[in-house]
Amino acid sequence: MGLERILATSEADFIVKSVDYIEECIMRLQHNSLGSFVLGLSGTNGSVRRTRLSDVLKCLAHRRSIDWQRVFVFLVDERYGFEHEEDSNAFLVRDSLVKPLSKIGAEFPEGHLVLPDTTITPMEACATAYKERLVALLEREHGPHLITLGLGEELHIASVFPEWYQAAPERWAEATRKTVGVLCTETSNFEVKNRLSVNLRVIRKATNIMLFLGDGTEEAWTRVKKAFDEERFCERRPKRARRTIEPTGVMLSTDGVMMVHAKPKTKMAEPPPVSPLD
């Protein structure tokens, strides 16, 4: 899997470039095969980032070239035990993607939205039920074809938090096992403590990964890129010639992982804490 880096100079630029990339991935599959596209969406933390993701999904819904009857959407992570429905990632996807699709008359089957049932208790039973549905989807549709992720300063990916897996060695083994899994994690740094998250195997299976970076995550990105270069997360694929797609001189290599900055970085980031990626 290769690495792409695209810099956005404004919020509007960020949204357009993000949607362009998602649309490109979907259209490539829909033009070249009869199968369906499997898109994994990760929620974000904080009102600003969630609003930004909402704007991306709303813009994506209005891309008329996409055949939404041949798209499946699942959640990479979800909040568990939230007080208000609006705080869930499921609500974010329904309100920002499914609802706009319905308004413009685009057909998106309800069964193509694969979400964890957070009414199931305890959380472990919810994770098991979601894993069964997710495994069936990925095996049937040979996905995922694209996963969107956020990378935190402390190196959390989706809702796999260092504070969670560093607390017990078996948790890192669970997060990195070679079979598809859904984890029950927790955080003390963000809203809604309890989280459901796919394990890293699901991310590794993705044909493309879209990684969103914000201010303060440059050092974290450097470490994750090093991990990819050392093949800790992915198999080696033939290298392609580097290419520049913007006059800004940003260099890209192959398609696979795209990093998008919401805004240009303005200051040096503090080094993230010790992680198994080191």
Side-chain angles (χ1 to χ4, degrees):
M1 181 178 292
L3 303 175
E4 293 197 13
R5 181 174 184 174
I6 294 180
L7 298 177
T9 58
S10 66
E11 290 289 338
D13 191 35
F14 171 87
I15 292 169
V16 170
K17 286 180 177 177
S18 299
V19 174
D20 283 349
Y21 184 78
I22 297 172
E23 181 185 32
E24 175 188 336
C25 291
I26 295 174
M27 296 309 301
R28 187 187 305 137
L29 181 138
Q30 292 189 342
H31 283 158
N32 296 329
S33 77
L34 298 177
S36 294
F37 189 90
V38 180
L39 172 63
L41 297 174
S42 178
T44 55
N45 299 297
S47 60
V48 172
R49 288 185 290 270
R50 290 179 75 80
T51 298
R52 184 181 296 137
L53 175 59
S54 174
D55 290 341
V56 168
L57 296 179
K58 288 175 181 177
C59 182
L60 180 64
H62 286 82
R63 294 297 173 97
R64 301 280 185 167
S65 60
I66 298 173
D67 180 358
W68 287 99
Q69 295 186 76
R70 295 174 56 201
V71 176
F72 286 84
V73 176
F74 73 92
L75 284 177
V76 172
D77 59 347
E78 178 58 292
R79 299 164 170 197
Y80 187 88
F82 46 83
E83 293 185 8
H84 307 287
E85 182 184 5
E86 293 81 1
D87 293 330
S88 70
N89 294 336
F91 178 87
L92 182 64
V93 173
R94 287 188 180 278
D95 189 63
S96 303
L97 180 63
V98 180
K99 186 181 293 185
L101 285 173
S102 177
K103 285 184 178 180
I104 65 175
E107 294 188 32
F108 180 69
E110 174 65 24
H112 285 204
L113 184 60
V114 180
L115 309 171
D117 182 356
T118 54
T119 65
I120 297 176
T121 57
M123 184 166 65
E124 291 74 13
C126 175
T128 298
Y130 186 49
K131 172 188 172 182
E132 292 175 354
R133 297 182 61 206
L134 194 57
V135 167
L137 169 66
L138 300 183
E139 289 182 352
R140 184 179 68 249
E141 302 298 338
H142 308 290
H145 301 103
L146 173 63
I147 280 180
T148 68
L149 294 171
L151 176 65
E153 290 183 57
E154 86 289 17
L155 289 180
H156 81 260
I157 289 286
S159 287
V160 183
F161 301 99
E163 63 174 314
W164 170 76
Y165 60 69
Q166 289 174 357
E170 62 273 14
R171 291 178 176 176
W172 181 247
E174 183 182 359
T176 58
R177 66 166 46 115
K178 294 183 179 180
T179 57
V180 170
V182 176
L183 310 171
C184 297
T185 72
E186 58 184 38
T187 176
S188 62
N189 296 321
F190 303 103
E191 61 272 24
V192 188
K193 175 183 178 181
N194 295 321
R195 305 294 183 95
L196 297 166
S197 181
V198 302
N199 66 358
L200 299 183
R201 180 57 189 171
V202 177
I203 298 172
R204 181 176 176 177
K205 283 172 62 67
T207 305
N208 301 281
I209 299 173
M210 188 174 184
L211 188 64
F212 297 109
L213 297 191
D215 291 342
T217 55
E218 186 71 22
E219 177 65 22
W221 164 249
T222 299
R223 294 191 180 194
V224 169
K225 182 179 182 299
K226 182 174 183 291
F228 272 95
D229 290 342
E230 294 177 355
E231 301 181 309
R232 296 182 187 178
F233 285 158
C234 61
E235 297 84 359
R236 180 175 297 278
R237 295 184 181 180
K239 294 183 178 180
R240 301 179 186 176
R242 296 176 66 85
R243 59 191 176 96
T244 304
I245 64 169
E246 290 187 318
T248 56
V250 177
M251 298 302 294
L252 309 178
S253 60
T254 80
D255 57 358
V257 179
M258 179 174 77
M259 181 180 69
V260 182
H261 272 289
K263 294 180 180 179
K265 186 175 180 299
T266 57
K267 61 181 180 180
M268 295 298 292
E270 293 295 326
V274 177
S275 160
L277 289 176
D278 289 331

